[in-house]
Amino acid sequence: MFQENPKLHIPSDETIVWKYLDLSKFLDLLMSNRMFMARSDKFEDQFEGTFSEPTYEEIKKLLADNPKYLDAYKAKRKNIVISSWHANSYESYAMWQVFTKNNEGLAIQSTIGRLKKAMIEPKANQYIGEVNYIDYKKEHIPFDDDFFPFLFKRKSFQYEHEVRVITDVTHLDMNVNEGVKVLTDVNEMIERLYIHPKSENWYKKLVIEIVERLGFEFTIEKSDLESDILI
């Protein structure tokens, strides 16, 4: 069940979100009806799920009464998994560049409301929210909720405009290596699918044929970045 907390901003259900991915990951989603969620301590950014300096100073004062807090938190990180999305009303040229290669790739367009319906795990503790971009040397991260540290990143990543689906799989008895695959209603999640604007025709036809053969109902759109110039 998705929880809410007034301390952090929760985007409205109408907020448009995007996931840019390659064809192999997209095929895995369609074939398995499961969305991969990465383990929180396996992200490339070493600051993921850690505390800012002001927060860490505050935690050190609490360790006198709870000396095992940090060890317990580090263990908890291994069972927090994340699905990252890009919040934007439009396609992002930058996201195509960062997350796809060789002029091939796809962009799933969804909304917060669709994600809530499609990715719900009734037995797990889940949260969905916008990432806050802060200065880790100066700004405080609240830590009275296990999910809060995973909703903060360094200002260097502000271009991502990230929204995260965060799931705690501690009680699901899962083997979490690089991450887990969570059962997903793909038709509910995907409102529209965009094909890389610079991809060749054979690639576009392949994607369309795969979606049709597997019986999915979402709309496949021509990228806005591929629009004809009106002169």
Side-chain angles (χ1 to χ4, degrees):
M1 175 179 290
F2 284 100
Q3 62 168 277
E4 296 185 1
N5 194 301
K7 287 189 176 183
L8 294 177
H9 180 255
I10 300 172
S12 69
D13 286 354
E14 293 74 32
T15 301
I16 297 172
V17 292
W18 303 75
K19 180 175 282 293
Y20 295 80
L21 69 174
D22 62 30
L23 182 59
S24 61
K25 292 179 180 177
F26 181 66
L27 282 176
D28 183 61
L29 171 65
L30 297 191
M31 299 292 288
S32 66
N33 287 296
R34 290 179 179 273
M35 171 61 75
F36 177 76
M37 302 185 73
R39 201 171 101 177
S40 64
D41 61 345
K42 295 289 186 177
F43 279 74
E44 185 176 356
D45 180 17
Q46 62 181 353
F47 281 76
E48 286 283 354
T50 63
F51 299 112
S52 63
E53 291 184 18
T55 301
Y56 185 65
E57 291 302 316
E58 186 176 339
I59 288 174
K60 285 196 295 185
K61 297 175 183 177
L62 301 177
L63 292 178
D65 296 325
N66 188 3
K68 295 183 179 180
Y69 174 81
L70 285 180
D71 289 337
Y73 178 76
K74 290 176 182 179
K76 185 79 167 181
R77 284 180 69 194
K78 297 178 181 179
N79 287 294
I80 299 292
V81 294
I82 296 171
S83 177
S84 298
W85 295 74
H86 170 69
N88 202 329
S89 298
Y90 304 95
E91 274 182 84
S92 168
Y93 179 77
M95 293 297 105
W96 281 121
Q97 295 293 102
V98 172
F99 291 104
T100 63
K101 297 178 180 179
N102 302 321
N103 293 335
E104 296 178 4
L106 303 158
I108 294 171
Q109 181 189 317
S110 187
T111 64
I112 295 297
R114 283 178 171 269
L115 291 185
K116 287 180 178 178
K117 293 178 182 178
M119 297 184 68
I120 191 168
E121 170 51 70
K123 296 181 181 179
N125 190 16
Q126 290 182 291
Y127 188 93
I128 188 165
E130 293 181 356
V131 170
N132 301 268
Y133 300 93
I134 66 168
D135 184 337
Y136 270 61
K137 292 185 178 294
K138 299 177 181 179
E139 297 181 69
H140 180 266
I141 295 175
F143 59 94
D144 50 339
D145 186 295
D146 288 338
F147 287 149
F148 284 173
F150 304 99
L151 287 165
F152 288 83
K153 295 184 74 170
R154 290 177 290 167
K155 287 182 178 293
S156 302
F157 294 91
Q158 204 161 7
Y159 69 93
E160 294 177 347
H161 299 295
E162 188 176 347
V163 170
R164 290 182 159 181
V165 180
I166 309 174
T167 304
D168 181 357
V169 297
T170 303
H171 305 297
L172 298 185
D173 194 28
M174 287 183 168
N175 183 24
V176 184
N177 291 316
E178 297 300 312
V180 299
K181 293 181 180 180
V182 177
L183 189 64
T184 302
D185 184 338
V186 175
N187 270 325
E188 179 66 50
M189 183 180 71
I190 301 177
E191 186 168 10
R192 293 181 180 85
L193 181 73
Y194 288 77
I195 304 175
H196 197 292
K198 293 185 179 180
S199 61
E200 297 185 18
N201 286 334
W202 69 265
Y203 184 85
K204 295 182 175 70
K205 291 178 181 178
L206 175 64
V207 172
I208 293 170
E209 183 177 351
I210 289 171
V211 170
E212 289 178 349
R213 285 196 179 189
L214 293 177
F216 289 97
E217 301 171 357
F218 46 80
T219 302
I220 300 177
E221 295 279 5
K222 179 180 179 181
S223 168
D224 289 338
L225 296 172
E226 196 181 358
S227 299
D228 295 329
I229 300 174
L230 300 178
I231 297 179

